[in-house]
Amino acid sequence: MNKKTLTYIDHFHGNVQPASWEALGLGAKYAGEGGCAALVIGEGVQELAAQAFQHGADQVFLADHPELKDFRFEPFADLISKVAREYEADVLLFPTTTRCRSLAGMAAVDLETGVLVDVTDLETSNGDFIATRPIYAGKLLAKVTCDAKPQIITTRPRAFSTPEPDPGRSGEIIEVSVDLDPEQIPTTVVDYATREGGVSLTEAGVIVSGGRGTSNSADLEPPGDLDEEEAEIWKAHQGFELIQELADVLGAAVGASRAAVDADYIPYEHQVGQTGKVVSPDLYIACGISGAIQHLAGMRTSKTIVAINKDPDAPIFNLARFGVVGDLYDILPPLIENLKQKLDK
Ligand code: FAD
């Protein structure tokens, strides 16, 4: 297939979202003779152009300007549309990150085309792309295409492989002229604040998740001065400590069900599911999670799913590759010890 592909490299102050390289890998795969281009926007981001070449780009459009130091939708979307139009891209690719969901929509309006969002698989038919994307909380997979050009595609993080970077690869840098009138940009970034306990679930290769079952231990005795609700949360915290310990041994991120988040066992940024994060790790370990459809919507594309649950009829076992029927408080401690020994931790 010889398509002119253009991939937007999403980054925060020079730290690239790894899913950008997955999208660029697809761009390179389908470009053939057409040419695989990447677009980098920011200030002092020449280094990202070098990384884009290593990951498969033949050309990099570089918009480097002090006004582009902070990400803002208006100038970034304008530049993406401008470059896509001038380059006459057949396909415009983005990783499905929070920023890029909006950017892709804005570029589609500018370019009078549509967006194939959160794509997990891509095939071609008569020179057009047919994209697969999960719908109805992942219960169905829809095959969608878009007749208008360019076809805009956002790829689900970790659904596609990252090409092995080739340090010897380079290509052509095309400077994009940036002519911005600050008065015309309604948004100003005033400040950034680091949020405590930030977790990068979408990029994690391994996730250990906990659900309402973490609060259900027959043996734990909470301190006597706690009321019923406080005692339940206290128990759940002991469960999540085990989950964190297992995650530490495996170098994993910690996820959670909405029931666990709603009950204040763990903050919202850990929530996996329809109204939380959508993840596709190599390994997902669900502890005390029943497997409601809204939870499965966020993790069903995980490569290998392990479920630990007391109830042999829990729906999560229908999806899990490996199921352990038992109390997580009995299963996790020896599992952690065993892994520590095996992994020399
Ligand atoms: P439960 O369903 O209560 O399951 C707890 C499980 O733990 C049970 O299977 C039980 O057998 C097991 N268990 C109990 N004790 C132990 C023990 N000691 N050891 C091992 N196993 C034990 N949910 C999400 O997760 N993510 C979402 O994004 C989300 N979005 C939603 C959006 C909407 C619009 C709605 C209506 C719901 C949404 N939900 C979401 C909620 C979802 O429907 C479920 O209520 C929720 O996922 C249940 O969480 P859970 O599995 O932890 O709890």
Side-chain angles (χ1 to χ4, degrees), residues 3-343:
K3 295 275 189 191
K4 277 179 105 168
T5 68
L6 177 65
T7 304
Y8 173 72
I9 306 302
D10 188 36
H11 67 95
F12 179 74
H13 288 179
N15 290 317
V16 175
Q17 287 281 341
S20 300
W21 305 134
E22 295 157 20
L24 182 58
L26 270 191
K29 176 176 172 190
Y30 289 108
E33 310 267 295
C36 170
L39 170 58
V40 174
I41 303 177
E43 186 199 20
V45 285
Q46 292 84 348
E47 164 57 24
L48 301 196
Q51 291 179 31
F53 291 133
Q54 291 171 11
H55 284 87
D58 301 316
Q59 292 176 313
V60 173
F61 290 90
L62 185 65
D64 199 312
H65 191 277
E67 275 295 325
L68 300 170
K69 174 171 176 274
D70 293 306
F71 173 83
R72 288 177 295 167
F73 285 111
E74 304 90 351
F76 276 57
D78 275 359
L79 281 164
I80 291 169
S81 306
K82 175 179 138 167
V83 171
R85 206 177 276 121
E86 288 175 7
Y87 178 60
E88 296 178 349
D90 298 310
V91 187
L92 181 53
L93 289 149
F94 296 84
T96 313
T97 58
T98 313
R99 281 185 290 264
C100 287
R101 275 180 189 271
S102 302
L103 279 180
M106 291 168 88
V109 172
D110 278 352
L111 298 167
E112 298 182 2
T113 183
V115 192
L116 308 177
V117 188
D118 203 19
V119 169
T120 54
D121 197 12
L122 206 57
E123 59 197 278
T124 53
S125 167
N126 298 326
D128 273 331
F129 285 110
I130 313 285
T132 302
R133 55 175 303 244
I135 57 168
Y136 295 115
K139 263 286 187 200
L140 285 180
L141 296 175
K143 297 218 169 193
V144 284
T145 188
C146 169
D147 291 337
K149 295 284 175 318
Q151 288 190 313
I152 301 186
I153 295 170
T154 82
T155 58
R156 180 178 285 198
R158 298 185 57 83
F160 299 94
S161 56
T162 307
E164 198 56 46
D166 174 355
R169 235 181 147 272
S170 74
E172 179 191 9
I173 292 191
I174 302 165
E175 306 273 353
V176 179
S177 71
V178 181
D179 183 17
L180 292 173
D181 176 0
E183 300 282 311
Q184 296 293 313
I185 308 172
T187 318
T188 306
V189 176
V190 180
D191 197 7
Y192 294 98
T194 315
R195 199 154 163 209
E196 291 279 318
V199 283
S200 180
L201 275 174
T202 40
E203 304 298 343
V206 181
I207 295 175
V208 188
S209 270
R212 207 195 312 259
T214 52
S215 65
N216 184 20
S217 157
D219 300 331
L220 283 174
E221 202 46 63
D225 55 341
L226 302 183
D227 65 25
E228 203 178 318
E229 192 185 329
E230 288 168 337
E232 177 190 309
I233 294 176
W234 181 88
K235 282 188 181 179
H237 285 171
Q238 317 307 306
F240 270 100
E241 267 180 29
L242 288 175
I243 285 169
Q244 182 69 60
E245 208 180 331
L246 177 58
D248 289 344
V249 175
L250 295 172
V254 171
S257 71
R258 176 160 155 182
V261 169
D262 284 352
D264 276 343
Y265 302 166
I266 188 161
Y268 169 72
E269 52 261 33
H270 294 268
Q271 185 179 317
V272 171
Q274 188 181 325
T275 42
K277 304 258 171 56
V278 175
V279 299
S280 277
D282 295 323
L283 176 62
Y284 188 91
I285 305 177
C287 309
I289 293 177
S290 60
I293 180 171
Q294 295 90 352
H295 187 79
L296 304 188
M299 45 63 82
R300 67 161 67 241
T301 53
S302 305
K303 313 280 179 300
T304 302
I305 296 168
V306 177
I308 301 170
N309 198 302
K310 270 167 85 160
D311 175 6
D313 297 322
I316 189 87
F317 288 130
N318 297 330
L319 190 67
R321 176 109 160 76
F322 301 100
V324 184
V325 177
D327 188 322
L328 66 92
Y329 283 90
D330 295 333
I331 311 283
L332 289 183
L335 179 63
I336 291 164
E337 279 318 307
N338 223 298
L339 283 168
K340 274 185 180 165
Q341 282 174 19
K342 288 243 157 44
L343 300 173

